[in-house]
Amino acid sequence: MSDTEHAYDHTTVERRWQDRWDDEGVYRTPDDAEDPTYVLGMYPYPSGKLHMGHVRNYTITDAYARFRRMCGDDVLHPMGWDAFGLPAENAAKERDTNPHDWTMDCIDTMREQMRSMGFGYDWEREITTCTPDYYRWNQWLFTRFHEEGLVERRDADVNWCSSCETVLADEQVEGDAELCWRCDTPVEQRELDQWFLAITEYADELLDSIDELEGWPDSVRQMQRNWIGRQEGTRLPFEVQDPDGDDHGTVEAFTTRADTAYGATFFALAPGHEITQAVAERDDDVAHFVEEEADPDGEEPNGVATDLTATNPVTGEELPVYVADFVLSDVGTGALMGVPGHDERDHEFASALGLDIRPVVAPDEDEIPDVSESAYTDDGVVVNSGDYSGLDSETAREQITADTAGAETTTQYRLRDWGISRQRYWGTPIPVVHCDDCGPVMVPDEALPVELPEFINTTGNPLDAAEEWKRATCPDCGDEATRETDTMDTFVDSSWYFLRYVSPELSDAPFDRERSNEWLPVDQYVGGDEHAVMHLLYSRFFTKVLADAEGLAHREPFENLLAQGMVQLDGAKMSKSVGNTVSPQRIVEEYGADTARLFIMEAAQPARDFDWSEQGVRSTRAFLDRLHEQVSALTEGSYDGKRGTTAEYVDSEIDAAVAIAADEYDDLRFNVAVREAQNLSRTLAGYVEYVDAPHAETVERGLNAVVSLLAPVAPHLAEELWTTLGHDEFVAEAAWPAGGDAETATARRDLVENTREDVRDIVDVAGIEDPERIDVTVTPDWKYEALGIAIESDAPNVISELMSEPSIREQGDAAASYGQTLQENREALTRPLDPETEYETLRRAAWLIEREFDAAVRVQTADADDAGHAEPGRPAIDITE
RNA sequence: GCAGGGAUAGCCAAGUUAGGUCAAAGGCGCAGCGUUCAGGGCGCUGUCGUGUAGACGUUCGCAGGUUCGAAUCCUGCUCCCUGCACCA
């Protein structure tokens, strides 16, 4: 695309200002800044190229950061790299390089792309998680967690991706088909020694304090609640015996419906339960079922009878024990009491196997439900339950739990401890050595960081192949020992990176405590909602642990969270595999970064999805070109008019735009804020075109405002025009322009717009072909006074109160009639602009009506008796043909 | 199934937290006019119905209710989206 069809060369302009900002350190945040506004976009994984999602994400934070800076705040707006992770290993293998070099190359490329977008970061605070300077603190924090008793090593069934050759967190397994989140390979189960962080210790606080996260979207809060999945219930102990009377011990079963204990007609074990395993060894049917038939994903619940019995601890009844595939090892205790009368799934199972189905809960005492066809699952009144009959479900649960030996109320969570072990190279080495005598031992702080060895290209875990690196001595006994070869989940890195920005160079602690206490929490966090659970939950967890263990004064990391919407193409998510992407680089080359940024921001509110539109981009660019021309026209110096009433109108519109845009920016409604700037530009153009000799100062003030209002979103052109307008400083560092208050501004606009619409209505309805003169008469003072009295008054009838006011009484019939109107609308009265402001507003806006109807417009006060039916907020209009 | 969020004029979408200038912002589409005007772009206007002076009528998923007054509050229903789920 040639630049000749544009009013300015974006490449030159954008480079120029990027260089100047760098030279002057405009976006630096000094360490002594006082409680800066902390604006943060989720740091990217350095895949090599920015995509539109990144552009949108970082344009949002950049615009907000710039706006806050113009409002006079100190701002902290840093950027960094989520630089560990599997793709780097894969890429390194493909390209015959190593993860480190590949990652660093990607970072260089992306940093340059960010620079070309004009994002104003404090690059002095840049962090890169794959550098020892960063990941040593992961190790240090791991040790602190260990000291707090929050690290556990245990044998665990883990999700294993055979393609990635690594363990996956539950959150990284997707869908019913259980596919790896990265490569879509079906996930297998394996048993391995794993390192866990005890996030469940904080489950209650993580759940309860969600309520206070008022700056977060409801959807994210709800997802976290679901994920934690707290459930109150009862643990009941069932004695399990085989036919010979041999005891298999007590099996605990968790239930939320202890009130249905009398309805239990069977007991069921998971195929993976240890008793099941024991029985399978001597019982071929059970073995066959476990091996061949059990299908936890199947629609139908399947099961097989055993020769065991379980004693219902509430009733003493002997229940048959089944092995059933709908019982899951990792839910509850892997065993349950079956109550087919009051649980859908148990009902289905009992029906299939011909087991008893008993109603023990009823809607009310005289109405025993028919449970032969389907379960009655609501709470109600307990029946057929011995001494408990007649109690409501809630009370029965409490009573049964209290009366039953060995029963206790417990809380169960869906949330599991966080397995952080990964059998991969490109991550933080877990700082542990294994000693034959002492077992696993923490690497002491002074020996940190445990640095990664050279990359070895192998199919398994490269750390396992690094023989020399693996050799270590035990910190406790000094004997030979072996290094732990697991690395940490990269979500560990991102769980505290927002703290590192505060003091990125600090060498004796991960973060400066005092400064963090002042600078945190992040005031505005922005990112995609694919991180709604994992990253955001882990970050909250880390913050709470650091508050308890390291004196951090905050228990929540992110005060306000914005989950930005997707940039789509034809209604579909942009995706490399589908091939429907738009390259930010191409857009920047063709139209410039300002155009890309402005288009994205005006297209929709930041939380919404929207469609990319090349035509929208073009018209955005056209707007910037017109603005450039507007400024050039002003500086050519041919505007030599006086400040007439039209200019006064323009002035009030400038105030209005500034005030409204400020409110909208503050609430992150960039699309509305930007529209104010564009409308103001339009108003200025209309003014220049309408009057013979525009008033240069007014136009200048207006263009200054337009440029200021656009500066957060289109910063390069804004700087360029700001200079053209004669300013020496950066617009990035300029103060937000002074304006009026948004409420009055809106009231004035409404008055003008309503009046113009009324004129149109009249002309249209009355069929006036060619209006010659239009008289607009503002309300008489006494009506305004009367309205004020009526609003204040709490008398049942205001008319007498109005008539006690001489200035109103002397209006005679008119006063009585208006008083009547007021009385009828008593409850709905609102205070309008005062008559003087109204008069002034309309006088200034008269040119709009003149222009539209090509008629003389006369705005007058109502001191004459021709006020007609003018009312406050509603001038009388008289049109002469 | 559970939970959360929704349903607004041809389409997209504000407004609902604090009921009253709300026939209801803005955008798109469509139509008319203008721009020394092919088109495009840009600007102005219109876009539920009726109406020869700014009015009236009907409307905010469906059905009721509260209120002087409801897009907004309450109850029930229908449908859509998102998350979770053989979760005991």
Side-chain angles (χ1 to χ4, degrees):
Chain A
M1 171 151 308
S2 82
D3 293 317
T4 50
E5 54 195 271
H6 293 313
Y8 71 102
D9 172 15
H10 54 259
T11 308
T12 314
V13 167
E14 292 180 355
R15 292 245 172 85
R16 168 159 55 237
W17 292 102
Q18 285 154 15
D19 290 344
R20 299 241 179 116
W21 291 328
D22 275 0
D23 292 347
E24 303 293 327
V26 171
Y27 307 112
R28 294 284 338 273
T29 309
D31 285 343
D32 59 3
E34 257 182 66
D35 190 15
T37 299
Y38 192 168
V39 183
L40 187 64
M42 291 181 186
Y43 68 170
Y45 177 77
S47 56
K49 274 188 184 155
L50 286 185
H51 58 244
M52 277 301 169
H54 290 129
V55 173
R56 189 178 194 192
N57 193 163
Y58 303 139
T59 300
I60 290 167
T61 54
D62 193 49
Y64 187 65
R66 287 172 181 276
F67 170 69
R68 298 297 340 162
R69 195 175 289 111
M70 290 177 80
C71 291
D73 292 10
D74 279 336
V75 169
L76 175 61
H77 186 222
M79 181 46 69
W81 310 100
D82 186 14
F84 270 139
L86 193 52
E89 274 181 74
N90 296 337
K93 285 183 191 172
E94 277 168 32
R95 281 152 237 240
D96 198 29
T97 169
N98 65 75
H100 176 271
D101 293 352
W102 183 80
T103 301
M104 290 306 179
D105 279 353
C106 285
I107 289 175
D108 287 344
T109 310
M110 285 176 81
R111 193 192 299 108
E112 188 47 41
Q113 285 187 311
M114 287 183 175
R115 202 179 110 89
S116 77
M117 288 304 306
F119 298 141
Y121 297 121
D122 181 352
W123 286 111
E124 308 268 326
R125 294 180 182 277
E126 176 181 10
I127 58 170
T128 305
T129 58
C130 65
T131 60
D133 277 351
Y134 186 86
Y135 69 67
R136 67 176 296 189
W137 300 113
N138 284 341
Q139 297 171 339
W140 188 92
L141 288 165
F142 180 85
T143 310
R144 299 290 86 71
F145 274 58
H146 184 261
E147 287 166 2
E148 295 296 312
L150 294 170
V151 171
E152 285 177 44
R153 177 175 170 80
R154 58 174 184 256
D155 202 38
D157 270 340
V158 293
N159 304 302
W160 177 264
C161 172
S162 57
S163 166
C164 304
E165 294 179 340
T166 189
V167 162
L168 300 172
D170 283 350
E171 295 90 324
Q172 293 165 339
V173 178
E174 292 182 336
D176 290 338
E178 308 213 312
L179 303 178
C180 170
W181 69 318
R182 286 224 190 269
C183 66
D184 286 346
T185 303
V187 169
E188 305 162 15
Q189 297 299 308
R190 275 202 187 182
E191 212 167 76
L192 284 175
D193 261 352
Q194 298 283 301
W195 292 97
F196 287 87
L197 297 186
I199 190 172
T200 50
E201 295 284 313
Y202 282 81
D204 281 321
E205 192 192 337
L206 286 167
L207 181 67
D208 293 337
S209 51
I210 289 172
D211 293 345
E212 275 117 65
L213 294 174
E214 282 167 15
W216 286 36
D218 285 339
S219 59
V220 174
R221 296 205 280 175
Q222 194 55 36
M223 278 190 251
Q224 296 215 346
R225 287 192 191 101
N226 285 343
W227 192 261
I228 295 167
R230 182 165 68 190
Q231 227 174 0
E232 311 289 340
T234 303
R235 231 174 236 276
L236 293 172
F238 287 75
E239 290 294 325
V240 177
Q241 293 181 313
D242 64 25
D244 307 329
D246 286 341
D247 201 352
H248 282 273
T250 303
V251 178
E252 302 253 332
F254 178 84
T255 177
T256 53
R257 294 296 305 272
D259 55 318
T260 64
Y262 277 77
T265 57
F266 65 96
F267 191 77
L269 295 168
H273 199 279
E274 56 182 42
I275 295 179
T276 306
Q277 304 289 322
V279 174
E281 283 181 18
R282 59 173 172 77
D283 184 330
D284 291 345
D285 287 349
V286 172
H288 177 75
F289 175 78
V290 171
E291 307 280 318
E292 306 294 332
E293 283 176 38
D295 175 16
D297 300 323
E299 287 293 305
E300 302 290 314
N302 289 315
V304 63
T306 68
D307 51 9
L308 306 176
T309 55
T311 309
N312 184 334
V314 181
T315 62
E317 195 177 358
E318 300 269 295
L319 301 176
V321 175
Y322 289 78
V323 174
D325 62 2
F326 69 88
V327 184
L328 308 177
S329 301
D330 61 346
V331 173
T333 58
L336 59 80
M337 66 169 188
V339 185
H342 303 283
D343 180 280
E344 298 287 2
R345 196 199 43 242
D346 294 350
H347 190 278
E348 210 179 322
F349 185 76
S351 302
L353 280 87
L355 304 171
D356 272 2
I357 301 173
R358 263 183 237 158
V360 293
V361 177
D364 68 68
E365 259 174 292
D366 313 317
E367 194 192 334
I368 310 297
D370 174 13
V371 293
S372 59
E373 289 304 315
S374 69
Y376 177 78
T377 56
D378 292 348
D379 272 9
V381 180
V382 172
V383 295
N384 300 333
S385 297
D387 292 346
Y388 301 104
S389 297
L391 298 176
D392 62 272
S393 288
E394 178 76 44
T395 311
R397 282 195 282 272
E398 289 167 15
Q399 288 288 331
I400 286 174
T401 305
D403 297 348
T404 306
E408 57 176 356
T409 58
T410 55
T411 307
Q412 186 181 274
Y413 303 88
R414 211 183 78 96
L415 181 71
R416 295 287 122 90
D417 279 338
W418 175 15
I420 60 163
S421 285
R422 297 291 178 275
Q423 288 67 47
R424 299 308 319 173
Y425 167 79
W426 198 229
T428 304
I430 290 177
V432 167
V433 295
H434 296 278
C435 169
D436 285 345
D437 296 329
C438 313
V441 180
M442 290 290 138
V443 174
D445 287 355
E446 54 275 18
L448 298 182
V450 175
E451 290 198 39
L452 283 168
E454 292 260 320
F455 180 64
I456 298 168
N457 195 337
T458 161
T459 48
N461 180 356
L463 289 185
D464 238 357
E467 294 299 339
E468 198 173 325
W469 177 83
K470 269 167 70 180
R471 266 198 296 281
T473 50
C474 172
D476 282 359
C477 68
D479 276 358
E480 272 192 16
T482 314
R483 283 202 188 283
E484 170 65 60
T485 56
D486 284 355
T487 50
M488 296 184 197
D489 182 0
T490 57
F491 278 112
V492 173
D493 312 0
S494 55
S495 292
W496 65 281
Y497 78 110
F498 45 90
L499 277 158
R500 189 64 183 169
Y501 288 129
V502 167
S503 47
E505 308 289 340
L506 196 66
S507 59
D508 58 359
F511 56 92
D512 182 299
R513 186 188 305 161
E514 205 173 315
R515 202 184 301 152
S516 296
N517 288 347
E518 186 181 330
W519 288 15
L520 274 254
V522 174
D523 293 282
Q524 184 64 58
Y525 197 36
V526 181
D529 71 354
E530 66 272 19
H531 291 117
V533 176
M534 296 185 264
H535 162 55
L536 291 170
L537 191 65
Y538 296 149
S539 297
R540 295 180 61 222
F541 167 49
F542 260 58
T543 302
K544 289 173 194 304
V545 174
L546 293 175
D548 289 336
E550 291 297 316
L552 184 65
H554 306 280
R555 301 195 71 83
E556 288 289 345
F558 312 121
E559 173 110 36
N560 295 293
L561 173 69
L562 172 68
Q564 106 255 10
M566 284 187 297
V567 184
Q568 306 178 322
L569 203 58
D570 300 325
K573 179 184 176 150
M574 284 191 189
S575 140
K576 252 191 239 169
S577 54
V578 179
N580 62 338
T581 58
V582 175
S583 150
Q585 190 142 3
R586 193 205 98 213
I587 300 299
V588 170
E589 281 164 13
E590 271 183 44
Y591 303 96
D594 286 335
T595 302
R597 295 169 55 128
L598 181 56
F599 168 69
I600 283 179
M601 296 297 258
E602 71 186 348
Q605 309 192 348
R608 302 200 84 85
D609 298 343
F610 76 91
D611 265 19
W612 184 267
S613 144
E614 197 77 11
Q615 200 199 311
V617 176
R618 278 195 290 271
S619 75
T620 299
R621 174 61 203 234
F623 164 73
L624 292 178
D625 284 325
R626 284 198 303 280
L627 179 61
H628 192 279
E629 280 163 2
Q630 268 185 296
V631 172
S632 301
L634 168 71
T635 53
E636 277 157 19
S638 56
Y639 300 161
D640 55 359
K642 293 210 172 69
R643 183 172 188 271
T645 50
T646 315
E648 288 175 35
Y649 170 81
V650 172
D651 261 326
S652 63
E653 274 302 299
I654 296 170
D655 291 341
V658 167
I660 293 168
D663 286 355
E664 300 297 338
Y665 267 123
D666 222 20
D667 291 338
L668 306 174
R669 283 190 298 264
F670 304 101
N671 55 329
V672 186
V674 160
R675 196 161 67 215
E676 282 301 324
Q678 294 179 319
N679 286 341
L680 180 56
S681 158
R682 202 172 292 164
T683 300
L684 292 167
Y687 165 68
V688 166
E689 193 192 320
Y690 180 74
V691 297
D692 295 329
H695 181 238
E697 283 77 14
T698 301
V699 176
E700 183 180 358
R701 191 172 94 88
L703 288 172
N704 274 325
V706 173
V707 169
S708 298
L709 266 48
L710 283 174
V713 177
H716 310 89
L717 182 61
E719 293 290 4
E720 185 77 6
L721 297 180
W722 194 244
T723 304
T724 310
L725 285 164
H727 301 277
D728 292 331
E729 92 267 50
F730 290 107
V731 71
E733 293 183 320
W736 188 256
D741 80 286
E743 214 169 305
T744 313
T746 308
R748 284 170 169 242
R749 280 187 178 178
D750 288 348
L751 174 68
V752 171
E753 204 33 63
N754 291 341
T755 306
R756 293 177 68 193
E757 268 171 30
D758 283 346
V759 174
R760 282 177 209 131
D761 263 2
I762 295 166
V763 168
D764 184 41
V765 174
I768 298 168
E769 293 287 325
D770 184 23
E772 193 186 319
R773 204 184 70 227
I774 301 170
D775 289 325
V776 177
T777 310
V778 167
T779 183
D781 286 343
W782 69 266
K783 279 193 181 173
Y784 178 75
E785 272 169 49
L787 175 57
I789 291 168
I791 290 171
E792 295 301 320
S793 164
D794 42 18
N797 189 316
V798 280
I799 296 179
S800 56
E801 200 165 330
L802 295 177
M803 288 310 172
S804 67
E805 200 64 41
S807 63
I808 294 171
R809 187 174 56 238
E810 72 188 15
Q811 303 301 324
D813 287 351
S817 148
Y818 185 58
Q820 194 62 42
T821 309
L822 289 177
Q823 178 61 29
E824 280 164 14
N825 298 295
R826 269 309 273 293
E827 311 292 332
L829 301 176
T830 51
R831 193 172 290 280
L833 297 168
D834 64 83
E836 213 172 306
T837 309
E838 212 181 284
Y839 170 71
E840 195 170 88
T841 303
L842 290 169
R843 197 173 57 90
R844 289 171 174 177
W847 69 288
L848 293 167
I849 303 173
E850 280 179 1
R851 185 177 67 173
E852 185 174 343
F853 296 94
D854 196 24
V857 172
R858 191 168 64 185
V859 178
Q860 51 197 355
T861 51
D863 35 31
D865 49 8
D866 59 351
H869 45 277
E871 287 174 18
R874 186 116 211 269
I877 296 165
D878 193 61
I879 302 177
T880 316
E881 269 190 271

